[in-house]
Amino acid sequence: DMFEIKSRFIEDYKVVIYDRWGKPFYEAENQGWSGFDADEVTPVPPGYYTYKIIGTDQVGQKVSRTGSVMLLR
């Protein structure tokens, strides 16, 4: 399963996933998160993670959203 960003209005985006201490450990452009560390090999433990999505919409305006996602294994 993937944490995916789906929108009809966002052209390009970057997603950053943070651990519970606020340290970013995963960044990707135009793709989601599979629940693994940045090396795509080491699974992260179950729990709540904060995300930030920074993107550009169809007319070139900047879009930024934050939230949390719960990872279950």
Side-chain angles (χ1 to χ4, degrees), residues 23-47:
K23 178 183 171 191
F25 68 90
Y26 179 84
E27 292 185 29
E29 292 189 18
N30 299 319
Q31 68 179 31
W33 178 51
S34 62
F36 287 82
D37 208 342
D39 62 9
E40 294 289 335
V41 175
T42 309
V44 297

Side-chain angles (χ1 to χ4, degrees), residues 2-41:
M2 293 279 292
F3 172 67
E4 295 181 296
I5 290 73
K6 295 188 178 196
S7 174
R8 293 181 292 175
F9 306 107
I10 303 297
E11 296 270 320
D12 293 305
Y13 65 89
K14 175 182 174 181
V15 62
V16 182
I17 308 290
Y18 300 88
D19 65 17
R20 62 179 151 175
W21 296 281
K23 178 183 171 191
F25 68 90
Y26 179 84
E27 292 185 29
E29 292 189 18
N30 299 319
Q31 68 179 31
W33 178 51
S34 62
F36 287 82
D37 208 342
D39 62 9
E40 294 289 335
V41 175

Side-chain angles (χ1 to χ4, degrees), residues 60-71:
Q61 291 182 316
K62 299 279 185 184
V63 177
S64 179
R65 299 287 186 267
T66 59
S68 63
V69 58
M70 182 177 180
L71 176 67

